[in-house]
């Protein structure tokens, strides 16, 4: 007998679940890439993309994954030999810093460990010490996908403004865009990067770099920008071919059109609220399970937990055993721990993650929690009883609070 037969559920923090409507839109013959429907569709998509990032700024689209956008953001704004400040949480800030070093950029790294957000006061101290204003940009990850911590990006803008420091503020929103509230313009962010395969619900392959006027000026002041990464022609093309510096990612674009329609139909505020409610249900279940067992939420303070991904620790070898159980027995794949090595567990197999970004709803999350609870039982892992009920109660209370008058019980 297998309980896994049926629809497989990839519950890892990217790639995320792709909606059927997106898949269907991609299933079509190749379109003409020189004129006709495709160029018109892409031009129409730009403002919709900008609306998701909450910006009136420009956007360049690349055929790449998230790593490509790390490089694209830097290639346009920071020259070799110049310096960036990287307040790093978890794994991904270090990855961005590494990308910068590969471009010959000097990095100054502040490491906040793997269970805490960026501390704006530490960033303030580092910037205040930069009396020669050598720091050209601050590279901050909004949601670190390994630790599942969410940092306060607006607080970093406040620090830069207080000090009158001219550095660009860049945010990696690869995990958070269209999941956790993010406001590029209101929060004063100069460069925002993201990819197609997380909150945007499209397969991996598209990278997006949004940039402000100030960042565009920094681009113009660069001595040289590699042709392929140059965001100038991509954001302001004279002909369609320049959007992508070559052949367009045809089928991804059709998928993206549908995904953006879905987001705008729901409304970005409602998308954020859905992610918040579902994350709250996950935390409610985890709080119950962790009472009386080894399970812990990696981020203790809910105020700094992402609504898109949750990192958990069971300890080795239980984390890996649980993942194997849910995948083999139920068809639900959980995320591996990333960058979470411990002295007695160098590969960090005691950690695992839930991805809850994009195309996820209440039955999916309750199903995810249900199989995890079954796995904890099946593997005799001690845990508090009633996690799934707690999640259901949490969802019920959120719905009740949001629409108190819609349900009348006689
Ligand atoms: C997924 C992710 C990346 C890397 O994206 P790839 O598409 O795997 O290159 C970078 N930063 C964050 C915050 C991410 O979640």
């Amino acid at each position: 007998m297998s309980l896994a037969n049926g629809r497989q559920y990839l519950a890892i923090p990217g790639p995320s679940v792709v909606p059927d409507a997106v898949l269907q839109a991609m299933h079509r013959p190749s379109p003409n890439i020189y004129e006709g429907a495709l160029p018109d569709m892409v031009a129409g998509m730009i403002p919709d993309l900008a609306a998701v990032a909450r910006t009136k700024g420009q956007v360049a689209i690349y055929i790449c994954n998230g790593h490509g956008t790390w490089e694209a953001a830097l290639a346009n704004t920071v020259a070799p030999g110049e310096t960036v400040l990287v307040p790093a949480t978890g794994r991904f800030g270090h990855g961005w810093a590494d990308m910068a070093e590969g471009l010959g950029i000097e990095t100054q790294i502040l490491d906040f460990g793997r269970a805490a957000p960026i501390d704006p006061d530490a960033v303030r101290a580092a910037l205040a010490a930069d009396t020669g204003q050598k720091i050209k940009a601050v590279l901050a990850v909004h949601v670190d996908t390994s630790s599942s911590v969410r940092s306060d990006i607006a607080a970093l803008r406040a620090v830069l403004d207080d000090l009158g420091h001219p550095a660009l503020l860049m945010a990696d929103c690869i995990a958070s865009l269209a999941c956790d509230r993010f406001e590029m313009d209101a929060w004063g962010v100069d460069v925002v990067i993201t990819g197609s395969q997380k909150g945007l619900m499209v397969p991996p392959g598209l990278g997006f770099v949004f940039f402000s006027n100030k960042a565009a000026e920094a681009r113009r002041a660069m001595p040289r920008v590699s042709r392929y990464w140059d965001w100038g022609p991509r954001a302001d093309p004279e002909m369609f071919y320049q959007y992508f510096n070559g052949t367009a990612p045809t089928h991804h674009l059709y998928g993206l059109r549908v995904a953006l329609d879905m987001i705008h139909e729901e409304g970005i505020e409602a998308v954020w609220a859905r992610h918040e409610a579902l994350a709250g249900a996950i935390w409610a279940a985890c709080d119950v399970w962790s009472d009386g067992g080894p399970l812990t939420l990696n981020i203790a303070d809910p105020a700094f937990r992402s609504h898109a991904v949750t990192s958990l620790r069971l300890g080795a070898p239980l984390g890996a055993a649980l993942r194997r159980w849910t995948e083999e027995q139920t068809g639900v794949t959980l995320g591996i721990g990333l960058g979470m090595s411990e002295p007695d567990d160098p590969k960090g197999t005691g950690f695992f993650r839930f991805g809850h970004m994009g195309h996820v709803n209440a039955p999916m999350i309750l199903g995810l929690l249900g199989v995890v609870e079954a796995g904890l039982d099946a593997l005799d892992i001690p845990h508090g009883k009633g996690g799934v009920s707690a999640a259901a109660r949490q969802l019920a209370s959120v719905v009740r609070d949001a629409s108190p008058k819609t349900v009348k019980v006689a």
Side-chain angles (χ1 to χ4, degrees):
M1 181 202 68
S2 172
L3 301 176
N5 290 333
R7 182 171 275 236
Q8 305 296 295
Y9 179 3
L10 188 70
I12 72 174
S16 63
V17 173
V18 180
D20 289 347
V22 170
L23 293 172
Q24 281 153 11
M26 296 177 76
H27 194 131
R28 66 171 68 217
S30 291
N32 185 354
I33 58 163
Y34 296 103
E35 54 191 16
L38 183 73
D40 292 347
M41 184 184 77
V42 171
M45 233 151 54
I46 301 299
D48 295 341
L49 270 170
V52 173
R54 307 279 264 198
T55 183
K56 298 207 169 354
Q58 291 181 276
V59 61
I61 312 176
Y62 299 85
I63 300 182
C64 69
N65 59 20
H67 282 68
T69 64
W70 276 343
E71 182 149 330
L74 294 167
N76 279 280
T77 51
V78 187
E82 294 186 323
T83 301
V84 294
L85 178 68
V86 187
T89 61
R91 179 72 207 89
F92 286 88
H94 295 284
W96 202 356
D98 185 54
M99 210 56 133
E101 281 159 21
L103 291 168
I105 295 166
E106 303 289 326
T107 58
Q108 194 179 324
I109 299 175
L110 303 173
D111 191 344
F112 299 103
R114 39 187 226 189
I118 295 170
D119 174 3
D121 289 336
V123 173
R124 176 185 299 272
L127 289 169
D130 179 35
T131 47
Q133 301 192 328
K134 272 177 58 193
I135 293 171
K136 191 84 186 290
V138 177
L139 316 186
V141 175
H142 183 215
V143 164
D144 175 81
T145 322
S146 65
S147 63
S148 69
V149 79
R150 185 185 57 229
S151 290
D152 184 348
I153 301 297
L156 302 181
R157 165 50 59 197
V159 165
L160 284 161
D161 287 353
D162 271 4
L163 296 171
H165 197 293
L168 296 170
L169 177 57
M170 302 196 192
D172 171 345
C173 295
I174 297 172
S176 58
L177 202 79
C179 303
D180 283 278
R181 172 180 291 276
F182 183 83
E183 309 262 7
M184 177 169 168
D185 289 358
W187 295 357
V189 187
D190 295 301
V191 178
V192 170
I193 60 173
T194 199
S196 52
Q197 79 274 24
K198 297 187 186 179
L200 292 179
M201 309 180 288
V202 174
L206 295 180
F208 306 91
V209 179
F210 301 88
F211 56 94
S212 68
N213 288 337
K214 183 177 167 188
E217 268 168 43
R219 155 69 191 87
R220 285 191 284 274
M222 286 282 281
R224 178 194 77 81
V225 172
S226 77
R227 286 277 185 280
Y228 189 74
W229 290 125
D230 193 353
W231 67 31
R234 288 174 185 263
D236 191 15
E238 275 166 25
M239 52 183 184
F240 184 66
Y241 216 59
Q242 290 180 321
Y243 270 114
F244 303 100
N245 206 319
T247 303
T250 48
H251 290 69
H252 276 69
L253 293 169
Y254 282 106
L256 180 64
R257 177 65 271 172
V258 169
L260 290 171
D261 287 343
M262 291 172 71
I263 290 169
H264 291 301
E265 208 165 292
E266 183 175 357
I268 189 71
E269 298 272 353
V271 169
W272 292 332
R274 170 167 54 84
H275 283 83
E276 183 177 4
L278 297 175
I282 290 170
W283 305 340
C286 294
D287 283 344
V288 170
W289 293 332
S290 62
D291 191 9
L295 185 88
T296 50
L297 281 149
N298 187 51
I299 302 303
D301 184 345
F304 297 114
R305 289 182 194 151
S306 164
H307 299 156
V309 51
T310 299
S311 185
L312 296 144
R313 185 184 181 283
L314 259 182
L318 299 179
L322 180 69
R323 279 194 300 103
R324 201 172 317 115
W325 191 90
T326 64
E327 184 161 55
E328 287 175 3
Q329 300 298 326
T330 74
V332 174
T333 303
L334 307 179
I336 59 168
L338 205 63
M340 290 295 191
S341 70
E342 299 190 297
D344 57 346
D345 177 24
K347 291 193 173 149
T349 59
F351 284 83
F352 64 99
R353 292 174 298 161
F354 300 147
H356 35 104
M357 39 182 57
H359 195 54
V360 285
N361 61 11
M364 292 166 78
I365 295 302
L366 289 172
L368 168 69
L369 297 171
V371 301
V372 168
E373 192 163 283
L376 293 170
D377 260 329
L379 297 170
D380 286 326
I381 299 171
H383 61 282
K385 302 297 175 203
V388 176
S389 300
R393 269 198 308 282
Q394 174 63 24
L395 287 178
S397 80
V398 170
V399 173
R400 201 183 303 118
D401 292 349
S403 48
K405 294 195 191 71
T406 56
V407 181
K408 285 209 180 84
V409 180

